[in-house]
Structure formats: C-alpha cells, structure tokens
Amino acid sequence: MSTDHAPHSRPDAPMTVVVDLAGAPGPALPVLELRGPLDTHRLEAALDRIDRESARPARRPLWRHRLEEHGPGHHTLRLTARASAGSSVDFPAGLLADLLTDTPRHEEGARRIVPTSLQRELIADSDAHPGTGRHSEQFAFAWNGPLDPDRFTTAWQSVFDRESVLRATFEDGPEPQLVLHERITPEVVHLPHAATDWYALVEADRRRGLDPRGPGPLRITVLAGGPPGQDTPAPARVLLTFHHALLDGWSVRSLLQEFYRAYLADGALPGGERRPDIGDYAHWLTAQDTAPARDFWSRNDLAPATEPPAAALTGAGVGHARTRLDTEETERLRTWAAALGSPESSVLHAVWALLLYRARGTVGPARVRFSSTVSGRGIHFDGVERLPAPLRNPLPVTVDVDPCATVLAVLAGLRDEAVDRGAYEWVTAGQIRSWSGARDTGASGSLLVFEHRPCDPDGLTELLAAQGILVGSPETLGVRTAFPLTLVAHHGDDGGLVVTASYDRTRLGDADQVLADTAFLLRQLPGREGERTTVGEVLALLDDLPRPLAPGPDRTAGPPSDDAEVPPLVVLRPATHPGAGTVCLIQTPSTPHSVHTRVVRAYRGPEMIALLRPAAGSRRHEAVLRALREGPLVLGGFSGGGVAAYEIARSVAASGGRAPVVVLTGAATRPADFARTLEATARRSR
C-alpha cells in the first residue's frame, strides 16, 4: 500500500495516518501507513496508552509492533498479536490514528487570543452555511492616474506588517482561537485590462468567498485600466474583499488610508505595530460587566422579527439591487431630518418600519421589528475610532407603528431607542437572545446598515492628487449576511445617498420594488410637515404602488438540529459516473462545515463525496453499506474521527464487504493537501 502524500514530507507538516484492513493478517490487525514527521517518542507513548487501556488485569502488552521506514516522513507500522492475546481482542487502530494526528499547531512568536462573542457567532453562522459566502463583503473604487504594481504590493505588505488583525486567522478546534501570526503575505492580484470583464471578476470573487481560517482577512484585486498607449486610459479598478469576523466597513476604510500613507512613502509605512489592537479589544470585552446589559434586554419585549416585503421568488443564490438619491434630493432629506432633530439614518429606519407595517397588511397600531447595525465605536476604549476590528454589530430595533401617530413621534421613538442601545454597542445578538428568551433576535427578518466613514485628517487623497492620482471612495458591492435582506446605505462621492440591497432569492425574490418604495418615501417626506403629517398619510402615498407579496419559506440549507430526522449520509458532491465510488468524510465536533466544503472544492477525482453525520451505529453502518454498492469506498476525516471511522471499516469487513481504507489527518492539514491524499487513496482502492 502506498499513497501520494508529497505535501506531508515538509518538516512542519501534520501527520496523516492511512489504516488498511485489506491484506492484513486478520481484521483486528490492520496495517498503518504514517505520512508526515514522525516523533517516535509520541508513537511509543500512544502505544503504551493503548496497552494500558486494553491489557486489563494481565497488564501485559497484547501486541507487538514493527516500524518500517521508507524515506523521510514515510513509515509503515505493522502489528502482530502476542499468543496470550487470543483472537478476540481487536487493536484500536482508530484510537491510535486519533492520538498520532491530534497535534496542536504552534507557531513561534504567534499570539493566541479568545475570539469575541460576535466573532464566534459569525464563524458559527459561516460554518453552518458553507459555500454561500456568508459575511464576506466587497468594496470597489476607481484609481485614476499612474499605478506602480510593485509599490502598490509593497505598501499593502507594510500595512499587513503593522496591523495584527490582518495577520489573524481562526484556528479550528472545539473552542476556536484567534492566532495573530508574526507575518502574512497579503494576496494582491494584478490583472491586465484584457484579462477579464470587471463584472465577471466581481462575480467570480463573490463565489470564491473568503475563509477567515486562511491567511489574510483582506484580499486585494486590481484590474488595470485601458490598453497601454492610450492618451486617456480608463481608470484601474480595485476590489477589496473582506470577512466580517475580522473586519468591518469602517476598518477597511481606515486600512485603506494607511495604505495610501504607505504608497505615498514609496511603500514603507512609518511607525511600528498598532497598539491597542484586536487582542487588547478582546481583553477589554472580557472585563465588561454584563449585568446592566442583561437587565436592559431582558426587560425589552422582543416580538418576532418582521419579514421584509418581497416580490415572488426568483430562484437560488444572492441577488443585488441598488438605488440612489441625487445630491439635491439627499440635501433636502438631510435638512428636513435635522429640523426634526434626527439624522438621515433615523429617517431610513422610519421608512423601513412603515414598509414592514404595510407589507403585513395590519389595520391599526402594530409593532414591527428588524435589526440595525451600530458602529461599535461609541465605547470607552482608547483608540477605538481608528481600531481595525469587527466592531459593527447588528442589534434588534422595535418600532410601534400607529397610523394616527405623527412621523415626528416615530422619529422620536427611534431616537430614544438609539440612545438606549448606544450604551450596549458591544453586546451581541446571541447574548440578547439568551437574556431575553426570544426565539430570535431578528436574523429571520431584515438588517439595515447605515455606513459612516472615518475622516481623512491628513488629507491623503489630496496628497495623492498632487502626484496625479485620483481615487474614489470605496463603495459596497453587496454583502451576504445571516438575514434574508440586508440594506446598506452610504453617501457616494457626489454626496448622494446610495442604498444597496443584498437578498436571498430562495426567500425573497427581486428587491427592486422594495428599493423603489424606499427611495419614493425618502423623496416624498421632505415635502411634508413632520410635526403634523401622520403615518397614515405617508402610507397613503403608497396606495397607487403595488403591494409586495409575502415572503416565501426559508429554504436555505443549514446544519441539522436533530440527527434522528436527517439521513446520516449527506451527498456533498455527486460522482462523475456510475460506479466511481465514494469518499465519505466523517463529521466531528471540532471540524467546521467550511473545512469539508474546501476539501470538496479541491477534490478532482470522479468519486462521490459524502458527509457522514453522527448517528446511531446501525444507521451509520447501513448508510455506508449503501454507498459501497456504488463502488469502492474511502473513509476520511480529521483528528477525532478515527475511532468512528475504524469502527465502520471493521463493521463493513465483518459483514463480508471489502473494508474501506481509513485516512485520518491532523487539524492543521490544508484541505487541498487532504483532498490530494484522498484522491491518491481512492485511485489505489479502485
């Protein structure tokens, strides 16, 4: 038996164990192939532990072992039973595989911190919806003028070296940790003008998503301007992709200013590493007294979130739509709101509350609820206004809508609630859910984001302009959140208000009408007297407009909550042809769904790939036996799944079938490397 594990020959590579029952002296004595740096002391300790747990009263080793070395990082472990062991004792090869692959990752100089509650919630939601791009956002801006690719890349490296959050990755495990690496090379890609269409590039980048467990939570892609030689070449376009578990929009805009500073200094950012950083913020959070926040939210009546209005369902995937108010319309709205003592954001919240009320078809007073983000930067933490970290936080908003009440009363209620919530910007939706006893905190409804931008105190854009470089303000291209509909509002370069909708097509459908109604009311309200105009009069303005249909059911695929209701074997990717065989991944509590997704994406073999969920032994074995009818079978998993995988292999062999090969690897193994190992094993099992 031999498999291709070239990646595991690196000195720092994790261990991979291949367990094969076929051709062994007996079903209880498998052959183990060990790929990776072998610590013989660790192996002896693991075998001693197995002997202690298996020898029972005799206290004598039941097995002998022989280690054969084939080259660096490649060994075969053969076992023989002692005469005193008898034929009824099975060697726990699965346990040995777990012990050998369960090696924690260590990096000299790397700091490890406990993620914040918000980060844990975002990671959990991303893992529960693999391959959907949840919580990844894209910014784009134009770059007019000369662009030096080497200087551009060097400047970003300088920013990454200074900001610990850009060198942060999540480490898998039962309790995830945030690792702050000493150095990470940013992914900066320069594409020539003719390489691809801009919209195709954006869509491909969106489908790719961004994995916060990989190096660098910020990806930079540059599509160059027009062909060389043009007198007035088209501007280059810069695409910034980031994950909300490590960065928010404010952070990315602040980091972009740091990049401009580095670019102006020929790529070298002056000064040392920023402190305080994300680790200091996490430490600050652990010191906060949650009692006042718990009391506040437990006293709030959080009714179920109101589903956003929507047109008929249009299919799968994420849709994006956008509407704009021009500069004059935005200025009228701002002036009108200020006269009523409210910011533009409160007017947008009021308009959205009215649209939710209208979509419900309610008569008389009613309470609606949605979620709205707070910046998270109103806290008493030194340097928070410039700190790049995931601070933007969705909190529930409750609005009492009474057709007889005035618009001024609605705005006043929103203003008062914003003041109350402002003291708890660091509290998360998950914490609120646990304190209030609510079924949800709005993730089944809609989310409003009103983006504010950090100022440019050093006039960096003017300094760039002095060198002939004109840069636009980054604008969001859409974001996939846990909500079926997310509205993001910001001011464009011309000062006009821009509202972008990102929505789940399986639940809502086309958002164009929703945005049209929103923009219509934002344009109409400044022509009304807020002190006298009632909610009913504003709603009457919409009478001639079509009423959106009710939203459809949630058909998104999430993690099952009851394995008794879910088949234990779930197909992640079908086979390319009948009889190709199956690669069955064993799910373990410490392995996130996103890791399995990355293995599937990297796998190039013809086999079907399935995920075996925890289930009762008989149901699990029956599922595997059904898969065997489709061809050869390989059982794969990360450390912690060895015992279950080996139990299944033995059960299959005992039933007269061809025992599947078990491939177990460490948590530090890259999914692409593991996919190649599985491919090589499957080829030899055909």
Side-chain angles (χ1 to χ4, degrees):
M1 176 189 63
S2 178
T3 52
D4 180 12
H5 305 265
H8 299 298
S9 62
R10 301 190 314 266
D12 61 340
M15 173 67 72
T16 296
V17 179
V18 181
V19 185
D20 193 356
L21 280 168
L29 297 172
V31 177
L32 283 75
E33 184 180 3
L34 312 180
R35 288 284 187 165
L38 178 62
D39 183 346
T40 55
H41 296 292
R42 183 180 180 86
L43 173 61
E44 294 291 344
L47 291 170
D48 287 345
R49 172 179 167 179
I50 290 174
D51 279 336
R52 288 196 305 271
E53 295 180 358
S54 305
R56 294 186 287 275
R59 296 297 180 188
R60 294 183 59 191
L62 300 178
W63 304 277
R64 295 187 179 93
H65 69 275
R66 186 175 77 256
L67 191 64
E68 301 173 359
E69 183 175 0
H70 307 289
H74 182 194
H75 299 79
T76 298
L77 182 67
R78 299 187 185 277
L79 301 158
T80 55
R82 293 182 181 273
S84 60
S87 59
S88 61
V89 180
D90 300 320
F91 182 80
L95 174 59
L96 179 58
D98 279 334
L99 293 174
L100 293 179
T101 57
D102 184 21
T103 53
R105 288 176 287 184
H106 293 290
E107 177 184 329
E108 186 177 353
R111 293 166 55 200
R112 280 173 168 76
I113 61 175
V114 178
T116 66
S117 297
L118 177 61
Q119 289 177 306
R120 289 196 294 269
E121 291 172 22
L122 292 173
I123 287 293
D125 187 67
S126 294
D127 289 343
H129 301 84
T132 61
R134 287 263 190 138
H135 308 296
S136 293
E137 188 168 1
Q138 295 170 305
F139 278 3
F141 66 95
W143 179 292
N144 290 271
L147 191 156
D148 183 336
D150 292 336
R151 183 177 166 192
F152 188 94
T153 302
T154 302
W156 274 117
Q157 181 67 69
S158 182
V159 176
F160 270 61
D161 291 342
R162 185 174 187 263
E163 304 289 354
S164 60
V165 68
L166 294 179
R167 306 190 308 276
T169 59
F170 284 88
E171 189 172 76
D172 295 330
E175 292 295 332
Q177 284 189 314
L178 198 60
V179 182
L180 307 182
H181 301 273
E182 283 292 297
R183 182 176 173 84
I184 279 182
T185 302
E187 183 177 350
V188 183
V189 179
H190 295 268
L191 298 174
H193 168 71
T196 183
D197 174 73
W198 169 253
Y199 298 102
L201 170 65
V202 170
E203 183 57 33
D205 181 85
R206 180 178 290 143
R207 289 197 302 269
R208 179 184 174 190
L210 194 133
D211 184 5
R213 291 179 175 85
L218 176 65
R219 184 168 63 237
I220 305 102
T221 308
V222 182
L223 184 63
Q230 286 187 346
D231 293 335
T232 55
R237 290 183 172 181
V238 182
L239 180 64
L240 306 175
T241 307
F242 58 99
H243 199 283
H244 287 165
L246 287 166
L247 296 170
D248 55 20
W250 182 285
S251 300
V252 173
R253 290 186 170 92
S254 294
L255 292 170
L256 191 57
Q257 291 182 0
E258 294 302 297
F259 161 75
Y260 291 153
R261 184 174 287 108
Y263 192 87
L264 288 166
D266 292 328
L269 189 64
E273 183 169 305
R274 179 193 300 275
R275 294 299 292 268
D277 65 359
I278 188 173
D280 300 310
Y281 171 69
H283 180 72
W284 178 87
L285 274 180
T286 60
Q288 300 311 300
D289 181 10
T290 60
R294 184 186 298 110
D295 179 64
F296 173 78
W297 289 110
S298 61
R299 287 186 285 104
N300 274 265
D301 179 19
L302 296 181
T306 311
E307 288 286 352
L313 298 177
T314 58
V318 181
H320 302 279
R322 174 170 289 185
T323 189
R324 294 176 181 268
L325 271 64
D326 62 31
T327 307
E328 182 179 347
E329 292 169 338
T330 303
E331 184 57 35
R332 288 179 62 233
L333 178 66
R334 183 185 296 114
T335 302
W336 178 82
L340 298 178
S342 295
E344 295 166 275
S345 57
S346 292
V347 180
L348 178 61
H349 285 69
V351 165
W352 188 242
L354 267 57
L355 291 176
L356 291 176
Y357 175 88
R358 177 175 182 258
R360 289 174 55 175
T362 305
V363 177
R367 174 168 292 180
V368 298
R369 187 163 66 84
F370 53 93
S371 288
S372 173
T373 60
V374 292
S375 70
R377 298 175 191 276
I379 62 177
H380 297 293
F381 179 75
D382 186 39
V384 69
E385 68 281 355
R386 305 293 293 180
L387 176 67
L391 303 185
R392 192 174 75 185
N393 191 15
L395 297 178
V397 176
T398 303
V399 185
D400 290 316
V401 181
D402 184 350
C404 297
T406 63
V407 174
L408 178 62
V410 175
L411 290 173
L414 284 166
R415 182 180 61 242
D416 293 343
E417 183 174 51
V419 171
D420 291 338
R421 291 188 307 150
Y424 310 110
E425 290 191 359
W426 48 273
V427 172
T428 70
Q431 291 173 310
I432 294 172
R433 182 188 302 114
S434 64
W435 296 336
S436 66
R439 294 196 305 271
D440 63 79
T441 55
S444 60
S446 52
L447 174 67
L448 265 62
V449 181
F450 203 102
E451 289 190 335
H452 298 282
R453 303 179 177 185
C455 61
D456 180 10
D458 300 326
L460 296 170
T461 54
E462 287 78 6
L463 294 174
L464 286 169
Q467 295 189 12
I469 302 170
L470 301 177
V471 292
S473 298
E475 290 192 350
T476 182
L477 300 182
V479 58
R480 179 77 185 272
T481 69
F483 298 81
L485 175 64
T486 301
L487 296 180
V488 181
H490 72 277
H491 290 105
D493 285 336
D494 62 355
L497 186 65
V498 182
V499 183
T500 303
S502 300
Y503 56 98
D504 184 348
R505 293 180 183 274
T506 65
R507 298 180 65 180
L508 297 180
D510 198 340
D512 285 341
Q513 185 60 52
V514 176
L515 280 182
D517 292 349
T518 302
F520 175 78
L521 289 183
L522 291 175
R523 293 186 178 104
Q524 292 294 318
L525 282 175
R528 306 275 166 171
E529 293 185 24
E531 299 92 338
R532 298 183 180 180
T533 302
T534 66
V535 169
E537 291 171 341
V538 174
L539 291 172
L541 299 174
L542 298 169
D543 286 346
D544 294 333
L545 301 178
R547 184 183 298 272
L549 302 177
D554 183 356
R555 300 186 298 199
T556 56
S561 57
D562 185 357
D563 286 313
E565 302 296 329
V566 179
L569 198 68
V570 179
V571 176
L572 301 179
R573 197 201 74 171
T576 59
H577 59 268
T582 303
V583 172
C584 186
L585 302 176
I586 308 297
Q587 181 177 344
T588 61
S590 61
T591 306
H593 294 278
S594 60
V595 174
H596 297 136
T597 301
R598 285 179 282 164
V599 173
V600 172
R601 289 176 178 173
Y603 194 85
R604 296 293 177 263
E607 290 79 13
M608 176 180 78
I609 304 182
L611 180 67
L612 192 64
R613 300 184 184 278
S618 59
R619 294 183 69 229
R620 183 166 57 193
H621 298 165
E622 290 171 3
V624 173
L625 290 172
R626 287 196 300 271
L628 274 172
R629 302 191 189 109
E630 302 299 324
L633 175 68
V634 174
L635 295 172
F638 290 85
S639 185
V643 173
Y646 186 60
E647 176 192 355
I648 295 169
R650 288 186 55 251
S651 177
V652 171
S655 67
R658 179 184 177 185
V661 178
V662 175
V663 184
L664 201 73
T665 194
T669 300
R670 294 181 300 181
D673 290 344
F674 188 41
R676 285 193 289 271
T677 300
L678 293 172
E679 289 173 32
T681 305
R683 282 197 300 269
R684 289 160 176 77
S685 301
R686 293 170 192 162

